[in-house]
């Protein structure tokens, strides 16, 4: 990338920025748009959690404690993710894009899901199993929503604060011609896909633990789509059908679970 004043110092105003003129975004433009977009995203993600809680109220079991079990499931999955990341960091970074390691982590997550739903059925035998699945899945999804919100707030703060990390991030986005809008929208779609998958997969598994095979396949498919995107240039990712795979697979999982709820 050519070393221009806008790229080197993204927080400086562009003296040639005239409203209404069609010109490539400067570093200052991108910082402003990202901070605005991430601020909106930091509000929309928790709102998604509120919508989720309202949506599952008709399926409320006799006790709200299955939601806490869902928190435990989400926490266990998060620990699995952190452990995998530490293993990759201490061994070979190339493993981060290894499909085999991705498959192992997906299988572990689904085994944890089966364990959680079995515990729910044992602890609350008087409740309808499908309702337990909804609330355990929702609790798990809320953990990932909390993580996504924290990541968004942290990223916004680091982008807004002048520093080496911010300059490098903005310079990379400028050189790859990645816009703030596409970055925020794709992140929101990924988060929505995660929520739908966590709820849908837990419902499917509580119908029959054998369905964990299907949920594991869907989970692996989501991870593989991410690996495929990483091999593409950042500017091409939002235009690739693979970018929408996590959302599509999450939606598919939730639709299958909803059909199960209607049938049973």
């Amino acid at each position: 990338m050519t070393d221009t004043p806008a790229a080197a110092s993204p927080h400086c105003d562009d003296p040639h920025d005239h409203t209404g003129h069609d010109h490539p975004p400067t570093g200052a433009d991108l910082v402003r748009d990202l901070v605005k977009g991430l601020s909106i995203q930091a509000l929309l993600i928790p709102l998604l959690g509120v919508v989720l809680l309202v949506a599952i109220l008709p399926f409320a079991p006799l006790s709200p404690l299955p939601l806490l079990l869902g928190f435990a499931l989400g926490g266990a999955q998060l620990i699995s993710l952190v452990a995998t990341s530490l293993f990759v960091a201490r061994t070979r970074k190339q493993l981060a894009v290894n499909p085999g390691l991705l498959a192992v982590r997906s299988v572990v997550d689904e085994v944890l899901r089966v364990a959680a739903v079995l515990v729910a059925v044992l602890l609350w035998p008087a409740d309808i199993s499908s309702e337990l699945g909804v609330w355990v899945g929702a609790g798990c999804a809320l953990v990932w929503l909390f993580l996504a919100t924290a990541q968004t707030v942290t990223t916004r703060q680091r982008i807004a604060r002048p520093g080496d990390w911010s300059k490098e991030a903005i310079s990379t986005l400028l050189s790859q011609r990645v816009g703030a809008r596409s970055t925020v929208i794709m992140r929101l779609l990924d988060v929505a896909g995660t929520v739908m998958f966590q709820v849908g997969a837990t419902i499917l598994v509580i119908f029959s633990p054998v369905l964990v095979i299907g949920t594991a396949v869907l989970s692996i498919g989501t991870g593989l789509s991410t690996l495929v995107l990483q091999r593409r240039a950042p500017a091409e990712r939002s235009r690739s059908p693979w970018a929408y795979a996590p959302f599509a697979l999450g939606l598919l999982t939730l639709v299958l679970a909803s059909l199960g709820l209607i049938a049973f």
Side-chain angles (χ1 to χ4, degrees), residues 3 13 15 74 93 106 114 147 154 157 165 200 225 231 242 249:
D3 188 13
D13 293 332
K93 294 184 178 181
S106 295
V114 172
L147 175 64
T154 300
Q157 291 175 344
W165 188 91
S225 66
R231 299 178 184 275
W242 290 102
L249 291 175

Side-chain angles (χ1 to χ4, degrees), residues 18-36:
H18 300 288
T19 303
H21 288 200
D22 185 14
H23 62 83
T26 64
D29 294 332
L30 190 53
V31 168
R32 183 184 63 249
D33 293 343
L34 274 176
V35 169
K36 180 180 178 180

Side-chain angles (χ1 to χ4, degrees), residues 47-67:
L47 180 61
L48 186 59
V50 174
V51 172
L52 174 62
L53 289 175
V54 172
I56 66 174
L57 284 179
F59 303 95
L62 298 177
S63 170
L65 293 180
L67 193 67

Side-chain angles (χ1 to χ4, degrees), residues 209-245:
V210 176
L211 291 177
V212 69
I213 299 175
T215 60
V217 170
L218 291 170
S219 179
I220 292 172
T222 300
L224 289 177
S225 66
T226 302
L227 294 185
V228 171
L229 281 179
Q230 290 179 355
R231 299 178 184 275
R232 297 178 180 270
E236 299 176 359
R237 293 175 184 174
S238 62
R239 296 191 295 269
S240 172
W242 290 102
Y244 303 93

Side-chain angles (χ1 to χ4, degrees), residues 113 117 129-135 137 197-208 211 253-254 256-258 260-261:
R113 193 186 311 280
V117 297
S129 60
S130 58
E131 294 178 350
L132 291 176
V134 171
W135 277 64
F197 178 81
Q198 293 293 351
V199 176
T202 309
I203 296 173
L204 290 175
V205 168
I206 208 166
F207 284 149
S208 173
L211 291 177
T253 306
L254 186 60
L256 292 175
S258 299
L261 288 174

